[in-house]
């Protein structure tokens, strides 16, 4: 089927979508089931949930925002997958007040760890929602990308502040409570009992390239997408990525 994440906005999601779709395909082959049970913790209006449902999987979205869940319902209906997408109000801290432990083949935790009081608890809860053979897709804000962005904007003191801050914050006005290095995210995943299957840098260049160049230069969007995809797997670029994606797998999925 055509990749649903490839429009202009896909510069921010293409790498994650490619890794996630491949992981889901491997789970399908390993389980022998065409349809998986997927949990999207903090999934909002369904940026990933709806495309995952279009692949044929059943997706439960947990989000604290009623408005986001309403938008999710509308988006799922428009995509023709309303029967495969369920939205429930809740958060990562109280995850098992609204969903089942150990009930999912895959758990998505995208853009959540930055905003929870205890990121380690957030990862542990996501892992506890997995079946014995399962996969975790974890996406969080990268420290290096924020430092680079502040420096390129001429805010050198803020860049220095972020670099030395335990949470990677550049000041009191910083809207992001936590940022992470690839090593920190990998440690959280391993600390929750998973093995790290892959680490990718996300939005390595996309946030630095002027939008007008991408929109007006023929072929620039596709070329930038290819560059992002090539750089994403290189550890050399993890340190400057705006976001970091970690794919964690339960021990039983090794070699699947």
């Amino acid at each position: 089927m055509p990749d649903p994440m490839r429009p202009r906005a896909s510069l921010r999601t293409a790498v994650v979508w490619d890794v996630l779709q491949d992981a889901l395909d491997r789970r399908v082959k390993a389980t022998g089931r065409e349809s998986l049970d997927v949990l999207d913790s903090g999934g909002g209006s369904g940026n990933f949930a709806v495309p995952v449902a279009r692949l044929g999987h059943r997706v439960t979205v947990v989000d604290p925002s009623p408005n986001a869940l309403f938008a999710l319902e509308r988006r799922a209906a428009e995509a023709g997958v309303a029967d495969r997408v369920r939205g429930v109000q809740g958060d990562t801290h109280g995850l098992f007040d609204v969903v089942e432990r150990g009930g999912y083949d895959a758990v998505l935790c995208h853009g959540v760890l930055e905003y929870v009081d205890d990121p380690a608890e957030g990862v542990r809860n996501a892992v506890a929602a997995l079946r014995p053979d399962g996969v975790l897709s974890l996406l969080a804000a990268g420290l290096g990308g924020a430092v680079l962005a502040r420096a390129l904007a001429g805010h050198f003191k803020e860049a220095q502040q972020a670099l030395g801050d335990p949470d990677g914050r550049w000041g009191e006005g910083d809207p992001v409570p936590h940022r992470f290095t690839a090593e920190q995210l990998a440690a959280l995943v391993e600390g929750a009992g998973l093995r790290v299957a892959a680490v990718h840098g996300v939005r390595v260049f996309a946030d630095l390239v002027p939008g007008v160049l991408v929109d007006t230069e023929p072929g620039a969007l596709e070329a930038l997408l290819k560059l992002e995809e090539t750089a994403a797997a290189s550890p050399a670029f993890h340190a400057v990525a705006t976001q970091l994606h970690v794919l964690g797998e339960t021990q039983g999925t090794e070699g699947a």
Side-chain angles (χ1 to χ4, degrees):
M1 63 179 291
D3 189 331
M5 307 289 281
R6 288 290 185 184
R8 171 70 175 87
S10 68
L11 276 172
R12 294 172 178 257
T13 55
V15 170
V16 179
W17 174 251
D18 288 346
V19 174
L20 176 61
Q21 187 172 4
D22 178 69
L24 294 176
D25 287 346
R26 288 188 285 113
R27 288 280 76 228
V28 166
K29 292 176 182 177
T31 61
R33 292 184 282 113
E34 292 185 0
S35 181
L36 302 176
D37 294 304
V38 179
L39 173 64
D40 190 351
S41 179
S45 60
N47 286 340
F48 281 89
V50 170
V52 168
R54 288 181 65 191
L55 295 176
H57 306 304
R58 297 176 294 272
V59 187
T60 298
V61 176
V62 176
D63 198 275
S65 168
N67 290 337
L69 293 175
F70 178 77
L72 167 71
E73 183 178 357
R74 184 175 63 239
R75 178 180 285 187
E78 291 173 351
V81 295
D83 60 328
R84 293 197 293 273
V85 176
R86 178 173 73 102
V88 292
Q89 190 171 1
D91 57 30
T92 302
H93 177 70
L95 187 62
F96 300 112
D97 293 336
V98 294
V99 301
E100 176 188 1
R101 287 181 181 268
Y104 298 91
D105 300 291
V107 173
L108 281 58
C109 187
H110 295 172
V112 173
L113 292 191
E114 298 93 322
Y115 301 101
V116 298
D117 292 334
D118 187 348
E121 179 194 36
V123 176
R124 287 195 300 269
N125 283 351
V127 172
L130 288 172
R131 288 177 174 149
D133 293 345
V135 61
L136 170 67
S137 176
L138 182 65
L139 181 69
L143 169 63
V147 173
L148 184 61
R150 301 316 289 174
L152 290 178
H155 303 301
F156 306 122
K157 290 183 178 180
E158 292 179 350
Q160 182 71 33
Q161 169 72 17
L163 197 56
D165 186 81
D167 293 316
R169 304 188 72 223
W170 46 256
E172 292 184 3
D174 192 338
V176 179
H178 304 282
R179 291 188 181 87
F180 306 88
T181 64
E183 292 76 15
Q184 287 171 334
L185 287 179
L188 288 174
V189 169
E190 291 173 342
L194 300 189
R195 69 180 186 90
V196 174
V199 179
H200 290 85
V202 180
R203 292 157 58 187
V204 175
F205 306 105
D207 292 351
L208 304 177
V209 176
V212 64
L213 187 155
V214 178
D215 292 333
T216 60
E217 189 72 22
L221 176 59
E222 282 303 316
L224 183 53
L225 276 169
K226 290 180 181 178
L227 178 61
E228 287 278 355
E229 290 169 354
T230 302
S234 173
F237 290 101
H238 294 168
V240 294
T242 299
Q243 292 178 307
L244 294 163
H245 183 245
V246 177
L247 191 70
E249 295 183 342
T250 58
Q251 299 300 325
T253 61
E254 190 164 6

